[in-house]
Amino acid sequence: MDQKVINLKLHDRYPELGKGPVPVDPYISQDYYRREQGGIFRKTWLHVGRVEEIPSAGDYFVKDLASCDTSIIVVRNKKGEVRAMHNVCSHRMNQIVYEQRGHTRKFFCKFHGWAYDLDGNLTGVPDEECFFDLDRCEHGLSMVACDVWQGFIFVNMDPEPALSLADFMRPMFGGIEGFPFDKLTTGFGWSTVVNCNWKLALDAFQEAYHVAYVHGHSIADAIDTESGGSMPPLDALCGEYHRRLSIAGNPKSVYGNPNAVTAGGEAAKEALAVSGESKPIAAAALRAGMGSATHQFLKEDLPQGMNWTGHPNWLFDINVVFPDFYLSLRPNYCQAYNFRPIAHNKTLLEARVYYPEMKTAGGRFYLEYMKVTLRDVLLEDLSTLERTQAAVETGVKKNMVLQDYELLVRHSAHVVDRMVQQQAQQSTKKENA
Amino acid sequence: MNPHDIAPTLPAQFAALTPFTNWCLATETERNRKRNASAMLELQAFRDAILPQVDEVVRYLDGFSLDAMPKDALNLMHMLLSLAEIAPAVESYHQPGVIDGYDPARFVADEQFVMRPSV
């Protein structure tokens, strides 16, 4: 444990972020949220799902993006490309698709039967001769910029995005490209509408200072802690938009040593030795799961951007993709959460976890143990959010005070505010012109 | 469960677990609801019954493909997944629900998610 890094002085690396108190008005201001919608959500790449959700031509899902006041159809076309379009008929604006997901050859509007192909082209109009010089080419569905990074599908409401998705992601996340996301083909999901601001929700996930308290009953023993329970991160990185935090685990626990199920051997022995006594169901699940995964996930094969400090007890990296996408990468699974704003004080949390497929009943038992533990940890994380929102809304405190290891919370507020201010400046310029 | 339904049956060698077949539940939502509606003593009794033979249960179930389990094996599989469901209650929280936790009924599992496993 002597390899642990303490006193990182992370803030010293990012002097532009300052060290002072951070205003909480952005958590409770309706006006600030409206400015985030224009300055951020309508012009940034937003994660909406995985390519594995729509494996075949004609597979689609619908994503409601309240922050952009729209609903998007994401579909795989006949060429195998992923396309996105607004769920709005060109005729009299009915929603084209009612179901949240499905498979179709074409999209038919249920109002008057207008038909569109998988690329959004208008291909059929009942009683077409009764319209006046109708040019089908001009009345396709309204397309939305859509691209894929490492199997994650993103959309951008800006028809001509300022940055390509690759240019948006690479500066911070180029080093994790190549992670075997495509081998994580078993997924579970939950959703909930939380009565709090989206940033307040995200902030609860982008620091580990809370772990010893919020998770004191559950997984605190899975995390590599200092005596006294505090949990310094291994390192943190902040970029122009995105941010990362690397965390060490306790290899002597099942939850904190997920590598054990795919690596077996010494890793498994270590995880089982202690948990066999204290957490016999956890130990049984690990014994049951070993050798069941369809892929091996060797630590040495992981891209170099993961566990970038090379710490032997590394457990996971938190990757926050601006603005609202949390992607936690473990050696053999990942968690993907979106904190989608609905209003200034309402957030849709869509949480997913992706594991390797398990071939056997024992492997399935292990996944259920890992998933249920994670879900309960999420219930702990969520427990503070509405209370914190209510407390902020009292107006008693105007600022929050952040310590060095809460750097990502500070960086998040900083980037959001920069984007909101930029948008305000551009609007002023336009008005003056 | 509808009272007119026939009680789930288990493979003969695990007949001793028959008193716990109300844990043969097919979805996370049902298993979590039952966990949160149970007394701690009930959770412990279920654990005490299945845990000593859990390795045999797994060995038996590993003999089937997950996509093609006979009904009695599938019932046993669902019971095994219930053991995973109660693990945090009996090994971490020492109460049925998450301590100070967010309402689990508001954190809705997507039981129709396309990437979920067949069982």
Side-chain angles (χ1 to χ4, degrees), chain A residues 169-407:
Chain A
M169 296 298 288
R170 285 218 171 112
M172 180 58 74
F173 300 117
I176 58 175
E177 290 180 356
F179 179 81
F181 290 108
D182 59 331
K183 301 293 192 289
L184 306 180
T185 50
T186 293
F188 299 95
W190 304 268
S191 63
T192 186
V193 174
V194 191
N195 295 312
C196 74
N197 184 266
W198 69 277
K199 301 183 296 299
L200 189 153
L202 174 61
D203 285 347
F205 290 80
Q206 46 185 354
E207 45 90 358
Y209 184 31
H210 72 276
V211 171
Y213 293 87
V214 171
H215 306 309
H217 299 285
S218 57
I219 52 152
D221 75 338
I223 304 292
D224 199 2
T225 46
E226 290 281 292
S227 59
S230 82
M231 189 187 147
L234 296 172
D235 199 18
L237 298 170
C238 294
E240 189 180 0
Y241 300 99
H242 316 296
R243 59 208 81 104
R244 308 187 67 200
L245 192 69
S246 195
I247 308 285
N250 172 10
K252 295 188 180 69
S253 73
V254 173
Y255 193 79
N257 190 352
N259 195 44
V261 79
T262 40
E266 286 304 312
K269 251 186 237 164
E270 203 172 12
L272 286 169
V274 174
S275 64
E277 292 291 321
S278 59
K279 297 194 169 179
I281 302 175
L286 176 55
R287 286 197 304 274
M290 283 191 296
S292 177
T294 47
H295 186 74
Q296 252 206 312
F297 300 93
L298 299 173
K299 258 189 172 173
E300 52 271 29
D301 290 348
L302 292 174
Q304 57 175 15
M306 289 179 70
N307 183 21
W308 68 92
T309 66
H311 196 283
N313 289 357
W314 171 77
L315 176 59
F316 66 103
D317 295 334
I318 292 171
N319 303 284
V320 184
V321 180
F322 183 80
D324 66 341
F325 178 34
Y326 167 104
L327 176 64
S328 161
L329 285 189
R330 319 249 164 175
N332 50 13
Y333 70 99
C334 74
Q335 296 155 214
Y337 309 155
N338 270 97
F339 298 89
R340 303 190 194 282
I342 297 173
H344 72 287
N345 58 358
K346 210 176 267 294
T347 299
L348 169 63
L349 166 60
E350 292 180 317
R352 299 250 180 96
V353 57
Y354 301 105
Y355 297 111
E357 187 191 340
M358 294 287 181
K359 298 179 294 245
T360 65
R364 179 66 188 86
F365 172 44
Y366 171 80
L367 285 194
E368 191 69 10
Y369 170 77
M370 294 297 280
K371 174 191 71 165
V372 158
T373 304
L374 168 65
R375 182 206 60 212
D376 284 4
V377 167
L378 277 164
L379 295 178
E380 294 175 332
D381 282 313
L382 296 175
S383 69
T384 63
L385 303 184
E386 292 180 347
R387 294 181 172 100
T388 305
Q389 181 75 24
V392 179
E393 284 176 4
T394 63
V396 168
K397 305 282 189 190
K398 305 295 179 203
N399 298 293
M400 54 184 166
V401 188
L402 299 174
Q403 63 123 308
D404 194 35
Y405 303 149
E406 295 174 295
L407 174 71

Side-chain angles (χ1 to χ4, degrees), chain A residues 148-161:
Chain A
V148 175
W149 177 84
Q150 301 291 297
F152 291 98
I153 304 167
F154 288 74
V155 296
N156 193 324
M157 295 310 121
D158 188 341
E160 285 166 24

Side-chain angles (χ1 to χ4, degrees), chain B:
Chain B
M1 190 189 302
N2 186 322
H4 300 292
D5 287 349
I6 300 159
T9 53
L10 297 175
Q13 68 199 87
F14 299 104
L17 293 171
T18 301
F20 300 95
T21 51
N22 52 3
W23 286 103
C24 299
L25 298 166
T27 64
E28 175 185 341
T29 304
E30 294 168 285
R31 293 188 289 266
N32 182 250
R33 202 178 290 146
K34 179 159 174 62
R35 164 181 152 190
N36 281 293
S38 298
M40 202 56 197
L41 282 173
E42 294 173 280
L43 302 185
Q44 287 160 346
F46 170 47
R47 174 203 55 195
D48 292 345
I50 189 170
L51 192 56
Q53 43 185 329
V54 67
D55 291 349
E56 288 155 61
V57 168
V58 169
R59 208 173 306 126
Y60 176 83
L61 293 173
D62 278 349
F64 301 99
S65 157
L66 279 168
D67 299 324
M69 282 193 164
K71 188 71 182 115
D72 58 352
L74 189 60
N75 291 336
L76 185 64
M77 182 72 205
H78 290 151
M79 186 184 274
L80 181 64
L81 297 181
S82 284
L83 179 65
E85 173 63 51
I86 70 160
V90 296
E91 296 190 345
S92 293
Y93 301 115
H94 308 293
Q95 65 172 42
V98 175
I99 295 172
D100 290 334
Y102 188 78
D103 178 2
R106 288 177 64 194
F107 196 59
V108 181
D110 183 355
E111 303 288 3
Q112 301 305 315
F113 187 43
V114 288
M115 293 175 68
R116 75 195 183 287
S118 55
V119 175

Side-chain angles (χ1 to χ4, degrees), chain A residues 83-157:
Chain A
R83 309 295 301 268
M85 51 206 82
H86 289 276
N87 189 12
V88 179
C89 181
S90 305
H91 172 222
R92 279 174 52 202
M93 320 295 118
N94 189 35
Q95 291 191 329
I96 293 286
V97 173
Y98 295 180
E99 299 76 18
Q100 283 303 297
R101 59 176 71 241
H103 174 86
T104 193
R105 194 174 51 83
K106 283 190 174 188
F107 295 110
F108 293 94
C109 179
K110 293 185 184 183
F111 198 176
H112 303 90
W114 282 37
Y116 303 87
D117 68 16
L118 303 178
D119 292 295
N121 301 306
L122 178 62
T123 59
V125 176
D127 300 329
E128 190 167 1
E129 64 282 6
C130 299
F131 282 87
F132 309 98
D133 305 319
L134 181 77
D135 181 356
R136 285 189 188 181
C137 297
E138 288 176 10
H139 297 283
L141 295 175
S142 300
M143 302 306 290
V144 175
C146 178
D147 206 346
V148 175
W149 177 84
Q150 301 291 297
F152 291 98
I153 304 167
F154 288 74
V155 296
N156 193 324
M157 295 310 121

